[in-house]
Amino acid sequence: MIQGSNILGYERPLVIRISFATCIVVTVCLPLLGLITCVSISSLFHFEDATGTHCQVPNYLPSISASISLSPECHIWRFCIGLHSAPRLLVAFTYFRFYKSRFAARSSESALSCLNLTFSIFENLGLLLLTYVSSNETYFVHKEGFVLFIVSSLIYMLITCRLWRSIKKYSLSPEDAKSHHWKVRFLLLNVCFCAFAGFFYWKHNMYCESGSYTFFALFEYLVVFSNMAFHLTAVWDFKSREVVVISSFEDKDF
């Protein structure tokens, strides 16, 4: 919604209102569409490069790291992640303010709110690091970015579920209960998918079995999808809020 008018020669500020839920959906959909696009292009046009490993055994799905390290896939992925980073930080700080106001009189939850914000920022930094330093450029830095992203996201989700357990305990809202319920489900799914991805990655490197890397790639996708689904639950938490952008006009004398 855009508001603004001219009254008696004076320009009123231009006000743009955007549903916060819409902002969240767009923020989540950017990396989702970027990932689907990159994996699809890699599978169709760069299949051998995207699925080849040091084991030189048949694989049928490209890993995310392989997909986003090729061209033009890397440019698409970097564009989507770069565009979504600022709104993602906005969501992180909105949650922080929400928790601070909700747990103003409770020191333990207030401290967890600070940790929650910290790991949310680390998660975003890890994602930016693994995005802008591809595995083909500096593998060690890319790997550390991936580890930072996974570890930070798991801790962030765990703390978030703990905070929402407290919220649900003292709230009569069915939306709060539903949000906590699905957050816990997506956290458990994410942990399971991470475990399976790690197992098949180890199995591929240890035994070089055909198909192990394919299962690793599959569960890697599911790790990312469950992470996105977890972040999407913010739609229930802030469905009544809006992002307001105000642009003021300078007075000009003619």
Side-chain angles (χ1 to χ4, degrees):
M1 180 185 295
I2 302 177
Q3 299 175 346
S5 63
N6 186 310
I7 299 178
L8 298 178
Y10 293 95
E11 292 284 353
R12 293 181 59 184
L14 180 67
V15 180
I16 302 174
R17 298 178 181 274
I18 305 171
S19 166
F20 201 65
T22 301
C23 180
I24 292 167
V25 171
V26 172
T27 302
V28 173
C29 284
L30 278 169
L32 174 62
L33 293 175
L35 177 61
I36 292 173
T37 302
C38 291
V39 171
S40 298
I41 293 175
S42 297
S43 299
L44 291 173
F45 302 105
H46 306 132
F47 184 78
E48 295 297 329
D49 290 334
T51 58
T53 69
H54 67 282
C55 287
Q56 298 183 340
V57 294
N59 294 301
Y60 309 102
L61 285 175
S63 68
I64 295 175
S65 295
S67 295
I68 65 174
S69 65
L70 301 168
S71 182
E73 296 93 306
C74 65
H75 305 297
I76 296 171
W77 180 248
R78 289 172 181 177
F79 173 78
C80 291
I81 294 302
L83 200 60
H84 108 296
S85 294
R88 184 162 179 172
L89 288 174
L90 173 64
V91 174
F93 279 97
T94 302
Y95 263 122
F96 177 68
R97 292 185 62 185
F98 170 75
Y99 294 141
K100 278 295 186 181
S101 62
R102 198 76 178 247
F103 301 118
R106 303 182 65 177
S107 58
S108 59
E109 279 81 2
S110 184
L112 284 174
S113 302
C114 296
L115 282 176
N116 188 261
L117 175 63
T118 301
F119 282 105
S120 179
I121 293 173
F122 283 165
E123 179 186 4
N124 202 37
L125 289 176
L127 182 58
L128 288 170
L129 188 61
L130 71 89
T131 294
Y132 288 97
V133 181
S134 71
S135 58
N136 288 344
E137 295 170 342
T138 309
Y139 177 75
F140 174 78
V141 176
H142 177 84
K143 178 183 175 182
E144 293 303 309
F146 181 79
V147 171
L148 177 63
F149 168 74
I150 291 295
V151 172
S152 298
S153 67
L154 286 171
I155 297 174
Y156 166 78
M157 287 189 283
L158 184 63
I159 296 173
T160 299
C161 288
R162 168 63 179 81
L163 290 170
W164 277 89
R165 187 180 71 177
S166 297
I167 291 172
K168 185 190 73 168
K169 184 178 179 180
Y170 299 102
S171 174
L172 298 176
S173 171
E175 290 292 325
D176 290 343
K178 180 171 70 172
S179 180
H180 174 257
H181 173 76
W182 282 103
K183 281 178 170 63
V184 172
R185 283 194 171 188
F186 290 134
L187 169 62
L188 293 175
L189 285 173
N190 192 264
V191 170
C192 291
F193 295 149
C194 282
F196 278 115
F199 169 73
F200 283 110
Y201 184 79
W202 168 83
K203 190 177 181 182
H204 169 74
N205 285 289
M206 183 63 66
Y207 301 108
C208 284
E209 291 181 354
S210 175
S212 291
Y213 198 76
T214 300
F215 280 108
F216 160 71
L218 175 62
F219 282 107
E220 189 182 31
Y221 303 159
L222 294 175
V223 167
V224 173
F225 292 153
S226 58
N227 177 277
M228 292 177 182
F230 186 96
H231 287 291
L232 196 59
T233 61
V235 170
W236 294 321
D237 305 334
F238 302 115
K239 67 177 183 179
S240 62
R241 299 202 178 193
E242 292 181 323
V243 178
V244 180
V245 181
I246 301 176
S247 176
S248 60
F249 297 93
E250 295 181 359
D251 295 334
K252 296 181 180 180
D253 297 326
F254 294 95

